[in-house]
Amino acid sequence: MPLAVYILGLSVFALGTSEFMLSGLLPAVADDLHVSIPRAGLLISAFAVGMVVGAPLLAVATLRLPRRTTLIALITVFGLGQIAGALAPNYAVLFASRVVSALACAGFWAVGAAVAVAMVPVNARARALAVMIGGLSIANVLGVPAGAFLGESLGWRSAFWAVGGASAIALVGVATLIPRIPVPDEKPRLRRELRIYRDRQVWLSISLIAFAAGGVFCAFSYLAPLLTDVAGLDEGWVPAVLALFGIGALIGTAIGGRIADAHLFGVLLSGMSASTVLLVALALLGQYAVAAAVLALLLGVSAFYTAPALNARMFDVAAAAPTLAGATTTAAFNLGNTGGPWIGGAAIDAGLGFASTAWAGAALTVAAGVLTTISLRLHRRGASSRLVTGAQAAPVTASTTTSTPTPTPVGGCSGQPESTPKYG
């Protein structure tokens, strides 16, 4: 695996910490800014909305720009957004800072994922994406609990300052260690890349990603108040339980990344089924502190176990447009991250209690499983993407001292031996 892929994973650590740390800061933010917890939860949705809009928008805007320069610019804007959040005098300013940070985060994910996939063979795509997602998992293991600890000890603003510092470190790594990405002989054409949206498998992938992410984060976004108000845990235990979720996420990413290239649909169906069962269990047993903690760990495993497969599936069906594939995946995940907290907040506002967020999440993961089954049946009937098999996209490659294989689009268009992943 090229060193640059690991640098991207390290950068994602800062991005992921900012994206998810509010789950442990909601009560403090709500109290300080004099808003309700469901309204504070909309700050999570605000970030997700920025990701949804920013991923395709910035992917299109930067399609012909140098990849490394784009990554440097985006991580810089992201860091400035964290500083703005730390200094925010009111809810509106904090909300705006979250949107701006999310736009930069979305662009970094889209461009970074395209670069990571381009530097490895087709049968290593899920592993390369698992490295990036691993940065997100480590953010949940270390960054999110650390943010909750800082919020409790020094105030919620200190968590934003810490992420700003992590972003500065990431900027140095990207600027010094990401290799120059040569401009392709044939420049990407927007019209050709947009053709991927004619494919129903692309839209199925978008939908199942959104439902899968929405189901998990419908419950996870309100995990802190569930632990304190339902399970009766002291606030000091919240960072530890969030760390358990992150440890589970790291384990799930490692397992899913290793087997998803060979058994993509098997990973998707088993992971979504497990998430559904765990969410139902959380709804029924969330009043017991030990059960809630164990279920948080297992939910992290099941949610991130499917993440490499969800990413790889999109790159399989949209290989003709790798940058837009990365952007579309990012947007799809964050459609779920937007809708999930919103649905959970609506359930709380309706007086159904914090445990109702787990019931709602289970319904969303069931829908994701149904969509996955439909996609698998279409695939078995030979209805996979025509744009993949006919792709002539020229992937970007990095100029490094170590030779790295050039990816072959699924279908073997380059004339080299195919390495098509198995599904099942």
Side-chain angles (χ1 to χ4, degrees):
M1 195 66 61
L3 175 62
V5 176
Y6 291 100
I7 298 303
L8 292 171
L10 289 173
S11 301
V12 166
F13 169 78
L15 306 179
T17 298
S18 177
E19 182 172 3
F20 298 120
M21 70 181 180
L22 277 180
S23 297
L25 300 174
L26 283 185
V29 172
D31 288 343
D32 187 39
L33 299 181
H34 308 293
V35 297
S36 66
I37 285 182
R39 191 179 180 197
L42 291 178
L43 292 168
I44 299 173
S45 295
F47 198 99
V49 168
M51 294 280 283
V52 171
V53 175
L57 182 64
L58 288 170
V60 169
T62 63
L63 198 58
R64 299 191 178 188
L65 297 180
R67 302 290 86 187
R68 184 174 64 177
T69 301
T70 300
L71 291 174
I72 290 173
L74 291 170
I75 195 68
T76 300
V77 172
F78 176 82
L80 293 174
Q82 302 311 297
I83 295 174
L87 297 173
N90 53 50
Y91 178 85
V93 174
L94 180 58
F95 192 96
S97 74
R98 295 294 288 170
V99 174
V100 171
S101 296
L103 290 171
C105 180
F108 192 98
W109 263 105
V111 176
V115 170
V117 166
M119 289 189 294
V120 298
V122 168
N123 62 352
R125 282 175 171 173
R127 290 198 299 277
L129 292 167
V131 172
M132 287 190 67
I133 298 168
L136 195 63
S137 301
I138 295 173
N140 280 284
V141 174
L142 298 177
V144 174
F149 175 79
L150 286 174
E152 183 181 350
S153 304
L154 303 174
W156 64 268
R157 295 176 190 275
S158 64
F160 280 82
W161 284 114
V163 175
S167 302
I169 296 172
L171 172 62
V172 173
V174 170
T176 58
L177 298 176
I178 295 290
R180 184 182 67 85
I181 308 298
V183 178
D185 294 334
E186 183 181 355
K187 291 186 177 181
R189 295 179 181 178
L190 178 59
R191 179 176 296 180
R192 184 176 63 188
E193 295 225 347
L194 287 174
R195 287 173 54 202
I196 64 171
Y197 298 119
R198 299 177 185 174
D199 192 333
R200 60 182 172 179
Q201 283 282 33
V202 169
W203 287 105
L204 275 172
S205 294
I206 291 171
S207 300
L208 69 91
I209 289 172
F211 277 104
V216 172
F217 287 99
C218 180
F220 178 75
S221 297
Y222 299 97
L223 186 58
L226 185 146
L227 292 171
T228 56
D229 292 13
V230 178
L233 277 176
D234 185 83
E235 289 184 358
W237 284 100
V238 172
V241 178
L242 292 176
L244 286 177
F245 179 89
I247 291 170
L250 190 59
I251 294 171
T253 300
I255 298 173
R258 285 185 175 275
I259 64 178
D261 284 307
H263 304 287
L264 190 144
F265 279 105
V267 168
L268 292 178
L269 291 171
S270 60
M272 290 174 189
S273 298
S275 291
T276 301
V277 171
L278 292 169
L279 286 166
V280 170
L282 182 62
L284 295 173
L285 304 175
Q287 60 185 309
Y288 304 107
V290 173
V294 172
L295 289 169
L297 168 69
L298 297 177
L299 187 60
V301 175
S302 66
F304 281 78
Y305 167 73
T306 60
L310 289 167
N311 278 270
R313 178 59 180 162
M314 183 64 78
F315 278 96
D316 284 348
V317 298
T323 302
L324 275 184
T328 302
T329 303
T330 300
F333 270 109
N334 285 280
L335 280 173
N337 292 350
T338 302
W342 181 84
I343 292 172
I348 295 169
D349 284 337
L352 300 178
F354 291 115
S356 65
T357 61
W359 284 114
L364 293 174
T365 55
V366 167
V370 171
L371 291 169
T372 303
T373 302
I374 294 172
S375 182
L376 174 58
R377 288 182 176 177
L378 289 175
H379 176 80
R380 286 176 171 171
R381 292 174 186 172
S384 57
S385 174
R386 296 184 302 274
L387 297 173
V388 174
T389 56
Q392 296 291 343
V396 292
T397 55
S399 299
T400 59
T401 54
T402 303
S403 175
T404 55
T406 301
T408 305
V410 179
C413 301
S414 69
Q416 299 174 359
E418 293 182 29
S419 183
T420 306
K422 300 175 184 177
Y423 301 119

